[in-house]
Structures are given as structure tokens and as C-alpha cells.
């Protein structure tokens, strides 16, 4: 890069691009770790889902976590009407 390329408006654009690359890299790493099971989804389990047999809690696609089939984003109330106790294995 020569001095003409480093004009007053080129540096913010360069900073913006580098920051976006960093965010994208961090997001990809987070998704891969979650899909491989290295993150602890139980730590983020909604309180209404504790002990429920329908709980799924895995990350899919762009990093969206699927809670269960009935309530993909978690129950709307503190007590889930579809809650069933887990069966001991």
C-alpha cells in the first residue's frame, strides 16, 4: 500500500474489515465447538426444561440452539405445560 491508499477514509474501512473477519472466525469456532459437544448446553438450559424428557438443546445451522420440538426457542412461561419427567436409564 502506498500513501495514497492510506487516506483518511481507508483506515476505518480496513479496521471494519479486520473486525468482521475476527467476528466471523470467532462465530465459526463457537459453532464448531458446540456441534462437537465441547460447550456445555446444560449450563444454558432454561429453568422450565430441567429434568424434562423432551429437552434436546443441540446447536444447528448458524448456531441456533433447538430446545425441544414443542418449544424450539424455550418455553414461554416459567413452567412448561409439555414437561415430562426424564426416565432413569
Amino acid at each position: 500500500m502506498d500513501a495514497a491508499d492510506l487516506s483518511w477514509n481507508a483506515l476505518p474501512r480496513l479496521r471494519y474489515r479486520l473486525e468482521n473477519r475476527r467476528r466471523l472466525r470467532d462465530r465459526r469456532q463457537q459453532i464448531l465447538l458446540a456441534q462437537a459437544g465441547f460447550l456445555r448446553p446444560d449450563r444454558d438450559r432454561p429453568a422450565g426444561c430441567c429434568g424434562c424428557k423432551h429437552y434436546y438443546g443441540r446447536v444447528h445451522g448458524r448456531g441456533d440452539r433447538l430446545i425441544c420440538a414443542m418449544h424450539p426457542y424455550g418455553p414461554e412461561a416459567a413452567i412448561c405445560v409439555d414437561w415430562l419427567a426424564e426416565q432413569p436409564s
Side-chain angles (χ1 to χ4, degrees), residues 6-75:
L6 295 177
S7 64
W8 63 272
N9 62 355
L11 290 176
R13 286 187 303 197
L14 179 61
R15 187 178 309 131
Y16 176 78
R17 286 182 185 170
L18 291 174
E19 185 67 22
N20 278 347
R21 283 185 188 171
R22 186 190 62 77
R23 277 193 219 117
L24 183 61
R25 184 194 68 227
D26 292 348
R27 184 73 175 146
R28 284 180 184 158
Q29 184 179 21
Q30 181 184 16
I31 291 170
L32 290 173
L33 287 172
Q35 288 176 342
F38 289 106
L39 296 181
R40 302 172 128 238
D42 290 340
R43 183 179 64 202
D44 298 327
R45 181 185 270 202
C49 298
C50 291
C52 182
K53 101 179 217 182
H54 297 297
Y55 180 74
Y56 182 67
R58 294 193 185 141
V59 176
H60 291 278
R62 300 177 315 220
D64 299 325
R65 188 161 52 110
L66 178 64
I67 302 297
C68 72
M70 281 73 73
H71 307 283
Y73 302 105

